[in-house]
Amino acid sequence: MDPETQPQSDPPIDLGRAAGGTEYSWCRAVPGGTGTTVLSLLLSNPVPFPALQSALHNLHISHPILRSRLTLTPDSRFSFFIPASHDPPQILRSASSSDFHSLLELELNRNPWSDPLDSGPAEGVPVFFPTLYDLPEPGRSVLALRFHTAVCDRSSAVAILMELMGLMGEGGGGSDPEGDKEEPSVLLGIEDLIPKKDTWKPFWVRGKDLVGYSLNGFRTSTLRFEDTGSDRSTEMVRLEMTEEETKRLLDACTARGVKLCGAIAGAALVAARSSKQIEEDRYETYSVVTLIDCRKYLEPVLNEHDVGFYHSAITNTHSIHGGEGLWEVAERCHKAYSNAMSNKKHLTDIGDLNFLMCKAIENPMLTPSSSLRTAVISVFEEPVIYRTSELQQRLGVEDYVGCASVHGVGPSIGMFDTIRDGRLDCACVYPSPLHSRKQIEDLVEHMKRILIEGSHVDEGDSAE
């Protein structure tokens, strides 16, 4: 499945670097099935293959990390080896009778990184694989871009989508990619860019936090597991709202001072508790992971065009007894992660959470039923907001989804939310058959009802 590659001569040392702490944790997670990022586009117009090849070549040049090869030494040290040459990425092309949704799930479960030493420590494995699927209908296709999450977070994927469409609109880029352009620098990992004043934490506080995170992990509840013994894969369902429903939801969030991520997390917790069909007054404690894009907190400040993984996570637990309404739980979710950010835990706790993530990978028995579930749901602090452009229409981009696999270590549901042309569209990924498609479809449909019904409360009314 991997494209053929030519052995590389010794590149300049400054074209590669060792993986940072967060990148290392993703390198540990990806072989088990979590951390394959996929950006998939449904195209209704024929794809000019040379223009696509040229556009991807230009992306390689603009973002050297995308042409890197992940290497692993016998002493388990991961590095990004970046060849000095600008060889274009090989695009795998194949015919397929599958639909857009099925091809997205197929890509989420293709894992060239399942054995990091498979290709030998010297050559390594590419971190980026493009595939073009020709559909049976004339001119229709699916373009799938698959990345190792260590080099491409959600913000990077959105930026790559915008850049790729821009380059395709120009016929691939137009300029000579081997011209006299200065080689872009390879950015450092997130830990090396956090201001020193924001990384310090007393030793005893760090130990206390590690113990606290560990104990919370033991006492938290999960969704019902349906099959804990079979091999797992990642599947996806979508939560979609109309423009009117989305506007009411966002207005309700604004009226209560709650971000959309708080409302989504709140709906998930209410729906998860309801799915258990247990006594009304019995409390269950659930974990929520909120993912924060840290680019604006770094030195130097980065933007979304700085490709890499620059998110951090905040983990909070919430006890739910079954009588709460949406906004009561949503406000608690919002307040918990906001307070953590005020205390800069999105910067100081990166190392702690990476350590615990790796410990869970090494010791699955530390998680309920050895499921590797670390939370009920993960949400992003901010949604992706996008409006269809004339260029997108001209290129024939009918649909697109960006998300990442979660069937190794991770949440029961990972929410990748987009507000597209005013409509909420969430890709909800989950580990199967640990959870069944029907189970997650029912849960997501319940979440949607909770959000819609909660949004109908008049602005002057108190929260439920």
Side-chain angles (χ1 to χ4, degrees), residues 161-189:
L161 171 64
M162 300 298 105
E163 288 186 44
L164 178 63
M165 289 197 298
L167 290 167
M168 289 290 291
E170 298 170 2
S175 60
D176 177 13
E178 301 292 349
D180 296 329
K181 297 177 182 177
E182 182 180 349
E183 176 73 28
S185 61
V186 180
L187 297 172
L188 296 174

Side-chain angles (χ1 to χ4, degrees), residues 178-227:
E178 301 292 349
D180 296 329
K181 297 177 182 177
E182 182 180 349
E183 176 73 28
S185 61
V186 180
L187 297 172
L188 296 174
I190 184 172
E191 289 85 359
D192 294 317
L193 299 176
I194 299 174
K196 296 300 181 186
K197 60 183 173 60
D198 294 332
T199 60
W200 184 83
K201 184 160 64 168
F203 177 80
W204 68 272
V205 173
R206 192 170 299 280
K208 177 173 174 286
D209 286 346
L210 279 172
V211 171
Y213 283 131
S214 301
L215 291 178
N216 282 338
F218 281 120
R219 68 186 182 90
T220 53
S221 301
T222 63
L223 293 181
R224 184 182 71 257
F225 297 142
E226 303 216 343
D227 182 347

Side-chain angles (χ1 to χ4, degrees), residues 298-335:
L298 305 179
E299 288 184 356
V301 172
L302 304 182
N303 60 50
E304 66 273 12
H305 296 285
D306 293 312
V307 170
F309 191 89
Y310 296 103
H311 277 67
S312 68
I314 288 175
T315 299
N316 296 115
T317 56
H318 303 277
S319 293
I320 310 295
H321 63 69
E324 304 94 335
L326 167 63
W327 297 111
E328 179 183 347
V329 182
E331 287 170 359
R332 282 161 55 189
C333 291
H334 177 89
K335 183 177 180 180

